[in-house]
Amino acid sequence: SIGVADGNIWTPLACAVENDLVSPRIVRMMCFKQPDAIDVKCRCPDNHHVFPLDISVGNREKRNLLLMGSDFYRQYKESAVGGVKWEKVLIPPVSKEAFELALNEAMNRKQWSLVNDLMSDAEVAGADKKMLNRAQKKLEQDEAAKASGLWHRRYLGPVMFFWDVAEDLISSTKRFLSK
């Protein structure tokens, strides 16, 4: 176990996934050595919360290592006592079930860049067509919402300032009350 409350740290695995200078081989080693870190919700340096998978966008190798899931790595960590070394373990292709699970979780967390990143590989892996269509619709809705928000900011700037202040007060109050 990581040893700290979920969401209060920036794990070494998350840092390695985010950093383009860290090779996928090192991320692989970290997954084998600390599989629980895959499922830890981290606090980024800019203070928002993400999972390591959320920041793997654009790096297919690291993303696929994380998609294998902590259970996959945990079984080898527990059997490492018998002599199985992480370097020797063959990583199988990511299953369609893993892609479907990751897509659903990314949509629930509204991580649209991750959804977009997963879509083409999930389709190749044979993921459910209904789920892929739903993900595509949600991506299109998110794009439309972004475009609408840009229009409001461009043409209703002074009004949007007060709207943003009100939203910040509401979210701060919710965070304060939830503690």
Side-chain angles (χ1 to χ4, degrees):
S1 132
I2 300 298
V4 242
D6 205 26
N8 291 328
I9 58 169
W10 183 237
T11 64
L13 177 64
C15 185
V17 168
E18 181 193 41
N19 190 337
D20 292 333
L21 299 176
V22 176
S23 74
R25 185 175 188 281
I26 292 174
V27 171
R28 177 182 168 155
M29 183 264 310
M30 294 174 99
C31 289
F32 276 106
K33 298 293 183 183
Q34 192 55 263
D36 294 334
I38 294 171
D39 302 323
V40 172
K41 186 177 184 181
C42 304
R43 180 176 297 188
C44 291
D46 66 356
N47 226 19
H48 72 281
H49 292 87
V50 295
F51 288 89
L53 183 61
D54 299 342
I55 52 180
S56 68
V57 173
N59 193 323
R60 180 178 280 159
E61 278 186 272
K62 291 179 182 180
R63 183 200 67 203
N64 288 349
L65 288 169
L66 295 173
L67 283 174
M68 295 309 296
S70 59
D71 291 337
F72 173 81
Y73 295 105
R74 200 173 291 116
Q75 73 185 1
Y76 289 103
K77 182 179 181 185
E78 291 167 1
S79 69
V81 178
V84 178
K85 297 204 181 253
W86 67 268
E87 299 99 338
K88 306 289 183 197
V89 176
L90 293 176
I91 305 287
V94 180
S95 68
K96 74 175 189 167
E97 291 82 13
F99 275 115
E100 290 172 353
L101 179 65
L103 269 171
N104 278 327
E105 288 178 1
M107 285 190 291
N108 290 340
R109 292 193 305 261
K110 296 179 175 33
Q111 292 289 337
W112 302 117
S113 57
L114 178 60
V115 170
N116 193 33
D117 193 49
L118 291 167
M119 287 284 289
S120 61
D121 290 335
E123 189 172 356
V124 170
D128 181 41
K129 297 288 183 205
K130 287 180 186 175
M131 190 202 52
L132 291 172
N133 290 337
R134 190 179 58 146
Q136 187 63 41
K137 279 184 185 176
K138 289 194 175 223
L139 274 173
E140 289 168 2
Q141 289 171 349
D142 181 60
E143 289 297 320
K146 282 182 186 174
S148 173
L150 291 174
W151 184 89
H152 285 105
R153 297 227 174 272
R154 180 176 294 146
Y155 298 108
L156 301 173
V159 174
M160 292 307 292
F161 171 77
F162 293 108
W163 180 263
D164 289 341
V165 168
E167 280 185 333
D168 288 346
L169 284 172
I170 291 169
S171 68
S172 296
T173 304
K174 283 182 183 177
R175 262 188 264 133
F176 178 74
L177 293 176
S178 68
K179 290 184 179 183

